[in-house]
């Protein structure tokens, strides 16, 4: 059957997180682009089912909702979040005590988790319903849910926080959860995030087959450094589960078109080239696969205080042992004009 694969390349600013309404308006801005790109039948209904993939970290700044005025003038995300945290010291202390953690960054994320989870889940459930799309909702920084992965009620189950992606069906029902396994050194480890478990990565079922979610670095074939003994390529895991499509929410913190450095070591190529040489395309080429045929990478763009996001979204297709870029975003930079919904109709 035919399915529309859509990589939603989103440009964000702090104002997109000013409130729940602002966040939903940003999703609708992208949703209109998606709706205009999709094929319709004569009576107006969509002709094909659609998988829409959003960028990693798109929900990470939801702690700012309702608090943006308090953090204006902050020079960094860390400074902004500290300004939010000091406004609720007792709530944060209680979260740290319940979570048995001494890390203030983790305590803060635990304290705001119920609000963030509600905003994130409600906004993307609404998006999936309104635009009638299977929706991989990028990611947010959340603990496990004590009531179960897909439960409507929510409370932190423990003192660990994960880079977490939710998935929704076209009726807006929450149908999947994925937690990032490979954490990026110098970025996610400094926040105190915990890695997810490979064995817990499960695909979600759609009318067009099984789909697996690999969050950013989980789509890479090799680690960035020689000091990551626990790094593990994960594409074969989903291939063994019969996934034909891989959703790949992504957020690149480094300049895309300039030589890349990491840990003080000069890079030998641009970050863009590294994504091609070591990222999902490379893993699809180097891994013996039976089921995986497509990969959908959606990049985050823009600047939130000192966090700068840069990159180009693309859709990959595998034919036998050959992998090629089926579609690539026209541009990837920090300008609003680079926001784009990349869509292709494929046979699965």
């Amino acid at each position: 059957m035919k399915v529309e694969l859509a990589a939603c390349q989103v440009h964000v600013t702090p104002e997109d997180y000013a409130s729940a309404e602002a966040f939903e308006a940003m999703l609708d801005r992208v949703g209109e682009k998606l709706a205009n790109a999709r094929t319709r039948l004569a009576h107006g209904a969509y002709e094909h089912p659609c998988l829409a993939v959003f960028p990693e970290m798109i929900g990470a700044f939801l702690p700012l909702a309702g608090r943006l005025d308090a953090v204006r003038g902050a020079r960094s995300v860390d400074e902004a979040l500290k300004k939010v945290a000091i406004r609720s010291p007792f709530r944060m202390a209680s979260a740290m005590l319940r979570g048995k953690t001494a890390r203030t960054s983790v305590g803060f994320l635990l304290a705001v988790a119920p609000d963030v989870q509600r905003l994130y889940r409600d906004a993307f459930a609404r998006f999936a319903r309104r635009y009638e799309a299977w929706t991989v909702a990028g990611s947010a920084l959340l603990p496990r849910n004590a009531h179960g992965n897909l439960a409507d009620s929510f409370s932190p189950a423990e003192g660990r926080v994960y880079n977490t992606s939710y998935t929704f069906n076209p009726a807006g029902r929450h149908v999947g959860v994925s937690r990032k396994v490979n954490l990026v050194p110098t970025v996610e480890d400094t926040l105190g995030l915990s890695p997810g478990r490979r064995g817990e990565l499960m695909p979600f079922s759609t009318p067009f087959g099984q789909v697996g979610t690999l969050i950013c670095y989980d789509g890479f074939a090799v680690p960035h450094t020689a000091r990551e003994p626990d790094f593990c390529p994960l594409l074969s895991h989903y291939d063994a589960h019969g996934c034909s499509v891989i959703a790949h929410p992504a957020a690149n913190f480094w300049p895309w078109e300039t030589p890349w450095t990491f840990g003080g070591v000069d890079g030998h190529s641009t970050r863009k080239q590294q994504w091609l040489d070591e990222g999902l395309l490379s893993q699809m080429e180097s891994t013996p696969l039976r089921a995986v045929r497509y990969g959908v990478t959606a990049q985050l763009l823009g600047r939130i205080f000192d966090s700068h996001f840069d990159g180009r979204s693309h859709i990959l297709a595998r034919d036998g042992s050959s992998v090629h870029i089926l579609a690539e975003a026209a541009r990837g930079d920090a300008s609003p004009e680079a926001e784009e919904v990349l869509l292709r109709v494929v046979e699965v």
Side-chain angles (χ1 to χ4, degrees), residues 44-59:
Y46 294 118
E47 183 174 3
H48 310 297
C50 177
L51 173 69
V53 181
F54 276 80
E56 180 192 29
M57 302 296 283
I58 197 167

Side-chain angles (χ1 to χ4, degrees), residues 2-328:
K2 291 183 177 180
V3 60
E4 294 172 328
L5 301 180
C8 299
Q9 179 167 286
V10 185
H11 179 275
V12 295
T13 68
E15 284 68 28
D16 292 319
Y17 298 92
S19 64
E21 293 77 15
F23 187 70
E24 290 188 356
M26 179 262 287
L27 295 187
D28 280 338
R29 186 179 74 216
V30 177
E32 290 304 310
K33 291 182 174 67
L34 175 65
N36 291 336
R38 295 185 65 184
T39 305
R40 295 180 183 267
L41 298 169
H43 62 281
Y46 294 118
E47 183 174 3
H48 310 297
C50 177
L51 173 69
V53 181
F54 276 80
E56 180 192 29
M57 302 296 283
I58 197 167
F61 304 102
L62 282 170
L64 299 177
R67 306 176 177 99
L68 196 57
D69 286 342
V71 301
R72 292 193 189 279
R75 291 164 294 182
S76 68
V77 172
D78 186 55
E79 182 183 345
L81 295 184
K82 283 179 180 177
K83 286 186 175 186
V84 172
I86 62 176
R87 286 175 155 245
S88 305
F90 297 109
R91 183 181 182 188
M92 185 169 169
S94 176
M96 293 176 70
L97 184 63
R98 290 195 308 271
K100 299 178 181 178
T101 179
R103 297 196 67 155
T104 55
S105 59
V106 175
F108 171 74
L109 292 171
L110 291 172
V112 300
D115 292 338
V116 168
Q117 195 266 359
R118 174 180 53 80
L119 291 172
Y120 173 67
R121 195 174 191 255
D122 288 354
F124 274 105
R126 174 183 170 277
F127 177 93
R129 285 193 303 272
R130 180 167 186 176
Y131 299 101
E132 301 175 35
W134 292 85
T135 304
V136 177
S139 74
L141 307 182
L142 293 168
R144 295 178 187 274
N145 188 353
H147 304 283
N149 278 337
L150 306 179
D152 290 334
S153 55
F154 176 87
S155 61
E158 56 184 357
R160 296 176 182 270
V161 177
Y162 305 86
N163 192 339
T164 306
S165 180
Y166 285 180
T167 298
F168 301 88
N169 70 12
R173 189 163 71 88
H174 186 186
V175 296
V177 175
S178 297
R179 298 181 182 92
K180 192 173 183 178
V181 175
N182 297 305
L183 302 184
V184 178
T186 76
V187 179
E188 289 163 309
D189 52 352
T190 60
L191 286 173
L193 300 184
S194 296
R197 300 168 188 161
R198 175 188 176 121
E200 292 182 344
L201 290 178
M202 297 301 294
F204 57 94
S205 299
T206 74
F208 46 88
Q210 299 286 94
V211 179
T213 300
L214 292 176
I215 303 175
C216 202
Y217 199 25
D218 282 350
F220 272 64
V222 295
H224 286 347
T225 73
R227 301 180 299 279
E228 299 173 66
D230 296 327
F231 180 92
C232 56
L234 293 165
L235 188 60
S236 60
H237 171 82
Y238 277 131
D239 189 67
H241 280 280
C243 292
S244 57
V245 179
I246 299 298
H248 187 214
N252 171 57
F253 289 85
W254 294 277
W256 191 246
E257 298 283 1
T258 58
W260 188 63
T261 61
F262 193 83
V265 178
D266 290 339
H268 298 290
S269 66
T270 63
R271 183 69 167 147
K272 174 183 178 180
Q273 192 60 46
Q274 188 194 31
W275 272 74
L276 296 175
D277 293 343
E278 301 177 5
L280 187 60
L281 186 147
S282 172
Q283 196 171 176
M284 287 176 68
E285 286 179 333
S286 62
T287 306
L289 300 172
R290 292 175 296 176
V292 173
R293 295 181 60 193
Y294 302 101
V296 184
T297 299
Q299 293 278 7
L300 190 66
L301 306 178
R303 183 183 293 276
I304 306 290
F305 301 110
D306 62 334
S307 291
H308 174 269
F309 301 100
D310 199 358
R312 285 196 183 191
S313 302
H314 53 247
I315 299 172
L316 304 176
R318 183 179 70 88
D319 182 10
S321 60
S322 175
V323 181
H324 65 278
I325 299 176
L326 187 63
E328 184 175 43

